Amino acid sequence: MKMAPILRAFSAHCPVVPTLLVHTGQHYDKDMNDRLFVDLRLPHPDINLEVGSGTHAVQTAEVMRRFEPLLDEYRPSCVLVVGDVNSTLACALVCAKKLVPVVHVEAGLRSHDRAMPEEINRVLTDQLADRLYTTERSAHDNLAREGVAAERVSFVGNVMIDSLLANREFAHPPAQTLRQAGFDPALIGAAQGYGVVTLHRPSNVDQVETLAPLLAVLSETAQRIPLVMALHPRTRGNIERFGLAHLLSSPRVVLLPPQGYLEMLGLLAGARLVLSDSGGLQEETTALGVPCLTLRANTERPITVDQGTNTLVGSDPLAIRQGVDQILSGAGKSGRLPELWDGRAAERIAADLARWLLARHSASQH
């Protein structure tokens, strides 16, 4: 979702910014992977490292081991990494050791929760990066506190919103998504609308003490508004392992497998409310003007709370109930579109990066 608009902007820039697309294969479900590339009109990667799953240490080390020879072979002017996954940090580490400049898109976001693996990835990648592109102004304060020089940082907006705006017209209607999964679309066509749920964070789904009350309050919510729940494999596995399937057995809960980007975009755009622990969904619901209850105690995207449609409710059933009450009574956040979330972030990145690379090239000639 982040790389597609960047690659399009690089190829449209004059002069063209030449690229080599490397897919680490960290997200390795083949069907979902192929579908994402098609949905986003993203060219197939030039190289796929096919790393697959593993512990954080194994996955990070394996990406490093497979990525390093590419730097020797292709000798790039820089390596651009996005977001906060293990691949982001792994590639940045290899580059730093081999003195290849690192460019980080979505820099400076902080949850201030070091128990989140992504927070470690974010902090370390920003320390290693030579050029940092931010989605919101609060990121600049975070980077300044961590000693990152202001001249390395540029506020460009949010490439996730570039993808959303470019693909909204292609989004699949929710009724079509339900029909294809074997459900009656009439369930979500009722006057009260429907909610969308995603759950995948280990802190929410790996312990029965947390997962059971969450599923119970979702089941309760479904009696008030039908819920469409796209189940992450980790979550589905834990529901079965803990014997909690009965909590979601209501005919008003639609359990779907993981959805493609265009299916999910259609579901979100049509929803009356969203309950999720996803970072990206906080941004997408803000862009769509759909109230979102984030099932986490903190967020690395505070602008979605301050200006957008997002409310943090953690995993507390009472806070979730109160949040649902507010939204269903018409008092949910309507929010506004944050600064530079205008669909042109990737163009700004392409223009700045082209200037920066030319300046570096000129300096190296003298």
Side-chain angles (χ1 to χ4, degrees), residues 28-349:
Y28 56 94
D29 182 295
K30 187 177 187 309
D31 292 338
M32 287 297 292
N33 182 72
D34 292 348
R35 202 150 143 210
L36 259 178
F37 277 87
V38 172
D39 284 355
L40 293 165
R41 306 185 303 288
L42 186 62
H44 272 276
D46 299 293
I47 294 159
N48 190 335
L49 301 182
E50 298 180 344
V51 165
S53 65
T55 65
H56 288 286
V58 167
Q59 199 173 57
T60 304
E62 196 57 30
V63 172
M64 292 177 71
R65 189 179 73 80
R66 298 187 190 199
F67 183 64
E68 184 178 37
L70 299 184
L71 294 185
D72 296 329
E73 182 177 352
Y74 292 99
R75 303 172 64 81
S77 304
C78 69
V79 170
L80 182 147
V81 295
V82 298
D84 54 19
V85 294
N86 289 338
S87 298
T88 305
L89 175 60
C91 293
L93 276 168
V94 174
C95 291
K97 301 271 182 142
K98 297 186 78 72
L99 304 180
V100 175
V102 174
V103 176
H104 187 203
V105 172
E106 210 180 70
L109 297 180
R110 297 290 181 270
S111 66
H112 306 292
D113 178 2
R114 293 290 178 96
M116 290 178 69
E118 297 92 340
E119 183 79 351
I120 306 299
N121 294 343
R122 286 190 281 264
V123 170
L124 295 179
T125 300
D126 286 340
Q127 285 297 318
L128 298 171
D130 300 85
R131 195 85 189 122
L132 300 92
Y133 294 119
T134 60
T135 61
E136 55 181 89
R137 291 195 183 273
S138 68
H140 293 247
D141 299 331
N142 295 333
L143 293 168
R145 273 195 300 274
E146 292 166 13
V148 177
E151 59 268 21
R152 285 160 54 191
V153 186
S154 178
F155 173 46
V156 294
N158 193 331
V159 293
M160 282 283 281
I161 307 310
D162 291 16
S163 265
L164 185 147
L165 295 177
N167 288 291
R168 192 164 179 186
E169 64 181 296
F170 306 112
H172 293 193
Q176 176 187 321
T177 299
L178 259 65
R179 199 177 295 112
Q180 286 177 339
F183 290 94
D184 181 0
L187 181 67
I188 61 168
Q192 82 269 38
Y194 65 91
V196 170
V197 180
T198 75
L199 267 182
H200 76 283
R201 291 199 174 273
S203 57
N204 277 334
V205 305
D206 280 3
Q207 282 84 37
V208 67
E209 300 81 10
T210 309
L211 183 57
L214 272 176
L215 297 183
V217 77
L218 290 174
S219 177
E220 184 187 309
T221 302
Q223 301 317 304
R224 305 179 63 191
I225 182 169
L227 296 180
V228 179
M229 189 168 182
L231 268 189
H232 190 280
R234 177 191 205 107
T235 310
R236 186 181 289 276
N238 284 339
I239 287 171
E240 290 168 5
R241 186 158 64 97
F242 299 142
L244 300 175
H246 63 282
L247 292 173
L248 298 176
S249 61
S250 163
R252 292 171 61 84
V253 177
V254 174
L255 295 180
L256 299 178
Q259 294 298 294
Y261 181 71
L262 297 180
E263 287 87 355
M264 203 65 199
L265 183 52
L267 286 168
L268 292 174
R272 189 163 169 201
L273 67 93
V274 171
L275 299 110
S276 176
D277 56 10
S278 158
L281 259 62
Q282 296 171 51
E283 297 176 329
E284 290 168 333
T285 48
T286 281
L288 292 165
V290 175
C292 178
L293 299 177
T294 293
L295 308 174
R296 287 168 48 187
N298 51 51
T299 179
E300 64 286 349
R301 294 163 165 88
I303 202 165
T304 63
V305 175
D306 301 338
Q307 296 182 21
T309 59
N310 186 23
T311 303
L312 296 177
V313 291
S315 56
D316 173 25
L318 179 60
I320 295 167
R321 271 189 216 105
Q322 289 172 339
V324 170
D325 284 343
Q326 271 199 318
I327 294 167
L328 295 186
S329 69
K333 289 184 177 181
S334 54
R336 62 184 172 87
L337 205 59
E339 184 184 6
L340 296 190
W341 287 27
D342 57 2
R344 303 187 62 185
E347 293 173 33
R348 288 186 279 270
I349 290 169

